[in-house]
Amino acid sequence: MSTATDTTAAKRKAPAGERVADWADGRLGIYSLAKANMRKIFPDHWSFMLGEVALYSFIIIILTGVYLTLFFHPSMNEVEYHGAYVPMQGIRMSEAYASTLDISFDVRGGLLVRQIHHWAALIFLAAMFVHMMRVFFTGAFRKPREVNWLFGFLLFVLGMFTGFTGYSLPDDLLSGTGVRFMEGAILSVPVIGTYISMFLFGGEFPGHEMVPRFFAAHVLLLPGIMLGLLVAHLILVFYHKHTQFAGPGRKNSNVVGMPLLPVYMAKAGGFFFLVFGVIAVIAACFTINPIWVLGPYRPDQVSTNAQPDWYMGFSEGLIRFMPGWEVNLWGHTLVLGVFIPLIIFPLVLAAIAVYPFIESWVTGDKREHHIADRPRNAPTRTAFGAAWISWYFVLLVGGGNDLWATHFHLSINSITYFVRVGFFVVPILTFIVTRRICLGLQRRDKEKVLHGRESGIIKRLPHGEFIEVHEPLSQEQLHTLTAHEQYKPYEIGPSTDENGVRRKVTRGQKLRARLSKGYYGEEAQISKPTAEEYKEITSGHGHH
């Protein structure tokens, strides 16, 4: 009897949190799940925080978006404004625009939440962009992470369209101009362009269904898909383990870092509030999208200085620099000046999406990779990435050619011609310069390994010669500088087999051989120092 009484008393003395955890474990098995995963090791490097910034910005977008949804009226019905903003008193506008004004001037904290929501969206896409560049330049997209690269790419693309539908909701003059720009691009699509436009706008532009349909896409459809992709992305990161940079004790079969609990979670929690605080300060200090200055949208007006958000400047730049070509076929006009950029844009996105598979095909490497490359050790890949970024910035200049002209007192035609030439020339020059820089850095690393680091100490030898004393590198530094793998170019082989019969070489094999030589030929990488070279030099022959 006493034993049963003691057990009952012990259960009564257990904290409430522990009793809840015991209850959940009995039904969900959380103890075994936590034991298996909560001590999972994650590597530590500053560049890994870029993905965290994107994640935390997305959470902030969701939180602020829920608050704004409570007060926003997604309707195109016309009303007469009688709110707190006096300059707009008595002006007829849509309910969407009027409710956005109410959020900005009547709802407590509404303007700050609007600003945080918009800034968080911009920072989310910027963080996604830089995060993808980090993954690209370090080769973290290689097997087994190709699918995760596609998930991240889709998140970025869907984020672009979510942002577009979001800033179109207030129905102000700036967003209306952007939507009209998109409508013109859609109408340039042969045969089906008018049907797509009617489907989106529920009739002739702007119609009465634009804001309700964009609202449904912005708060339900696109965020729902993005949330699913984000969960899948994080699950794969957890399952595949995080990539890590080369160093002592770091191999493809292990991870060197900190446990998820308590170290990593504590750092992540603090970093979330830091990101939230920085976004809140930016939102409080720098106004973005002041719709009360622009006024409600009217189809017969165009807002001055109308510019897309930075992530859509690429697509607008394509259209602005394109010549206004038109072709008349069978009584129909094909607007090539808009249609061709509309084709180039998805093709570029598709090339980015499938790049991991292209590189895997060129190398023929089917192994798993968990060690991240230093960008200098993959010169061709790094050059491709830098060329794409330079291409993007050239088109961003094209997308804002009017502002460049007015702010710097330049001819808008000169800027347009510069963009047309730069579209072809700048990426090629960037590719060449970037690859040469990478090769130069590889040579410097090789010299460091063989001769040590320059100490800055000058020594005079007995026969009068002046030399600089080199300090030998530590074993850790030597490992870091020589741990990367160098591929050999793919070779087609002899034209005949062992029986003297001529082999059939396909065009795919020839293309793969050319690409492989461009990636990994003698002029595309500097050979690593061998152990024999290191021993010969460090034994005293010519080493100071």
Side-chain angles (χ1 to χ4, degrees):
M1 287 294 295
S2 60
T3 303
T5 305
D6 293 341
T7 304
T8 304
K11 287 184 178 180
R12 289 175 181 173
K13 292 178 183 178
E18 185 178 333
R19 293 199 300 273
V20 171
D22 289 340
W23 182 89
D25 179 59
R27 291 151 182 82
L28 303 174
I30 62 172
Y31 286 169
S32 58
L33 185 66
K35 185 177 180 181
N37 296 296
M38 290 299 101
R39 298 294 292 177
K40 194 175 184 68
I41 301 298
F42 280 85
D44 189 21
H45 192 268
W46 68 267
S47 64
F48 299 154
M49 294 192 298
L50 299 171
E52 293 183 39
V53 173
L55 173 63
Y56 303 151
S57 300
F58 184 75
I59 295 173
I60 294 167
I61 292 169
I62 297 297
L63 295 176
T64 53
V66 170
Y67 183 81
L68 294 174
T69 304
L70 301 176
F71 305 100
F72 181 72
H73 300 290
S75 171
M76 295 285 285
N77 294 330
E78 274 202 351
V79 296
E80 190 172 311
Y81 182 70
H82 296 288
Y85 188 63
V86 176
M88 288 283 181
Q89 292 282 354
I91 295 179
R92 296 192 65 80
M93 59 187 65
S94 66
E95 281 191 64
Y97 186 81
S99 64
T100 308
L101 286 178
D102 291 338
I103 291 172
S104 302
F105 296 105
D106 295 306
V107 175
R108 186 179 296 274
L111 180 58
L112 178 61
V113 175
R114 264 196 68 225
Q115 299 288 287
I116 292 175
H117 187 73
H118 202 146
W119 275 112
L122 295 179
I123 292 174
F124 167 71
L125 285 163
M128 281 283 293
F129 178 81
V130 182
H131 175 62
M132 288 185 67
M133 289 300 98
R134 198 274 304 172
V135 172
F136 179 85
F137 286 124
T138 61
F141 54 77
R142 293 173 294 177
K143 184 182 177 180
R145 297 176 178 83
E146 301 98 331
V147 175
N148 223 10
W149 167 267
L150 290 177
F151 285 167
F153 168 79
L154 290 174
L155 275 170
F156 181 73
V157 174
L158 289 175
M160 291 169 57
F161 288 103
T162 306
F164 177 80
T165 55
Y167 76 65
S168 302
L169 291 181
D171 196 34
D172 61 285
L173 192 55
L174 178 61
S175 67
T177 303
V179 176
R180 183 167 64 177
F181 177 90
M182 183 194 73
E183 190 244 0
I186 292 173
L187 289 177
S188 71
V189 179
V191 182
I192 62 172
T194 52
Y195 294 97
I196 298 174
S197 177
M198 294 288 284
F199 174 77
L200 282 177
F201 302 110
E204 293 292 336
F205 177 82
H208 293 282
E209 301 296 328
M210 181 183 73
V211 170
R213 294 187 180 192
F214 278 25
F215 181 76
H218 182 70
V219 304
L220 290 175
L221 178 63
L222 295 176
I225 299 173
M226 291 177 67
L227 193 60
L229 287 172
L230 180 62
V231 172
H233 184 76
L234 294 176
I235 289 174
L236 287 180
V237 169
F238 208 82
Y239 175 72
H240 291 144
K241 301 177 293 185
H242 210 297
T243 56
Q244 56 186 345
F245 286 96
R250 298 177 182 181
K251 300 178 292 185
N252 276 313
S253 58
N254 70 351
V255 179
V256 178
M258 301 175 299
L260 180 63
L261 277 179
V263 181
Y264 195 83
M265 288 298 292
K267 291 177 67 176
F271 192 49
F272 168 76
F273 289 107
L274 180 63
V275 172
F276 205 150
V278 169
I279 292 177
V281 169
I282 294 174
C285 296
F286 302 99
T287 302
I288 189 171
N289 197 19
I291 62 162
W292 52 90
V293 176
L294 303 166
Y297 176 66
R298 286 181 51 182
D300 60 337
Q301 294 181 355
V302 176
S303 60
T304 57
N305 294 336
Q307 298 295 312
D309 282 327
W310 69 268
Y311 51 88
M312 298 300 288
F314 172 72
S315 57
E316 181 152 342
L318 281 169
I319 293 180
R320 287 199 187 190
F321 91 86
M322 185 73 188
W325 295 339
E326 292 184 358
V327 177
N328 293 313
L329 296 173
W330 303 292
H332 299 277
T333 301
L334 184 61
V335 187
L336 297 179
V338 180
F339 180 61
I340 291 177
L342 204 63
I343 295 297
I344 294 175
F345 183 60
L347 288 178
V348 172
L349 293 179
I352 296 171
V354 302
Y355 181 84
F357 304 97
I358 295 174
E359 185 171 311
S360 175
W361 175 68
V362 170
T363 61
D365 187 3
K366 305 302 180 184
R367 298 169 300 167
E368 291 192 1
H369 293 273
H370 302 287
I371 300 295
D373 286 335
R374 299 173 78 203
R376 67 185 63 179
N377 293 329
T380 304
R381 179 204 299 151
T382 303
F384 272 127
W388 186 89
I389 293 173
S390 70
W391 197 38
Y392 170 81
F393 279 111
V394 167
L395 292 174
L396 196 61
V397 171
N401 56 359
D402 53 340
L403 288 185
W404 283 88
T406 55
H407 282 67
F408 295 98
H409 307 290
L410 300 171
S411 166
I412 194 169
N413 291 328
S414 299
I415 296 173
T416 302
Y417 285 125
F418 165 78
V419 174
R420 287 176 180 175
V421 175
F423 178 83
F424 299 99
V425 175
V426 171
I428 296 174
L429 292 177
T430 304
F431 179 89
I432 295 171
V433 171
T434 302
R435 195 159 82 156
R436 288 183 66 87
I437 290 173
C438 290
L439 293 175
L441 292 173
Q442 283 190 23
R443 290 189 185 95
R444 191 184 70 173
D445 288 345
K446 185 174 182 177
E447 289 295 316
K448 277 186 178 181
V449 171
L450 295 177
H451 301 287
R453 182 176 53 250
E454 297 177 355
S455 65
I457 300 173
I458 305 299
K459 181 180 178 181
R460 184 177 183 183
L461 299 180
H463 59 276
E465 179 187 358
F466 288 92
I467 62 169
E468 182 179 12
V469 178
H470 286 207
E471 296 177 354
L473 301 182
S474 66
Q475 290 298 316
E476 179 179 350
Q477 292 171 321
L478 289 172
H479 178 84
T480 301
L481 295 180
T482 58
H484 60 282
E485 185 174 2
Q486 291 188 315
Y487 292 97
K488 293 182 179 180
Y490 168 75
E491 296 181 357
I492 298 177
S495 58
T496 57
D497 59 18
E498 63 275 7
N499 299 319
V501 179
R502 188 176 183 83
R503 294 174 57 237
K504 184 179 180 180
V505 180
T506 64
R507 292 182 179 179
Q509 289 176 312
K510 293 179 180 179
L511 176 62
R512 181 184 172 190
R514 291 196 188 98
L515 291 175
S516 184
K517 186 177 180 181
Y519 267 77
Y520 308 111
E522 294 181 0
E523 297 180 357
Q525 59 183 353
I526 305 300
S527 59
K528 292 194 300 183
T530 62
E532 290 74 18
E533 288 177 318
Y534 180 75
K535 289 178 181 178
E536 181 181 353
I537 290 181
T538 56
S539 62
H541 301 291
H543 180 72
H544 303 295

